Amino acid sequence: MNRAVRSVLQYSRCLQRHPPRRGQEFLVCRCLGSRGGDQGPLCARVQVLSTSQDATAVLAAYFARQKCMPGDCYLLFGDVGAGKSYFSREFIRFALDDEEMEVPSPTFLLHNMYSGMNDGPPMIHHYDLYRLLDEKYSGVERLGFDNTVRSGVCLVEWPQVLEPLGLVPDERVELSFRLTSSSPTHEKDERIIDIRGFGPQWTRVVETLGEHIEQRGDALGLQYLSV
């Protein structure tokens, strides 16, 4: 674990004790639903440039070090290779406090599960629904997502599959990953990550993240971008 990732862990424990400063830098609004449509719940939005994989790991650590609770749901959007699986892998390792844990992609199995000690976080469910895009969404019901999203922590890659079935929870975090034009072959590992928190809890979490990136982002390889 490099120094940048260690540094985020040092101050992540006290984030919830310091409420975010309300300023013009952060977009807090009545947002649209998941990907458009009717007006949705209160949300906060932060857009950042991650300059390396280590910087993306810092974001994963930030969310994983929140108190993981049943019902926590992270929807991960982006093209193949944009960083969704890497974020999920680091999130799971940080949440379970095991940086060497094997976290294979669930591309073929669609769904992998992870659990820690009895006093640790609830079951973590990692979904990759890419293969269901070609099945007209018919395979989603077999996965029992409507139950796991209530009883565990869910990380969902290719969540577009959930929307036509009405399975997108009201309270959630959405992260959209996009490689920058300067890293078309992944050489620089630079990506723009658009983060939205829906619902009161995630609005506060995303606002606080925006403030910490503004104050400490350069040292962590993260640059705040105007929305």
Side-chain angles (χ1 to χ4, degrees), residues 113-127:
M113 296 180 290
Y114 303 88
S115 62
M117 305 298 290
N118 292 334
D119 59 348
M123 186 75 73
I124 299 176
H125 301 267
H126 182 196
Y127 292 91

Side-chain angles (χ1 to χ4, degrees), residues 45-49 176 178 192-196 206 213 223-227:
R45 180 183 180 191
V46 170
Q47 192 174 85
V48 301
L49 173 67
S176 298
R178 176 168 57 88
I192 293 172
I193 306 176
D194 195 314
I195 305 168
R196 301 186 187 213
V206 172
I213 291 174
Q223 299 177 22
Y224 184 89
L225 302 177
S226 299
V227 178

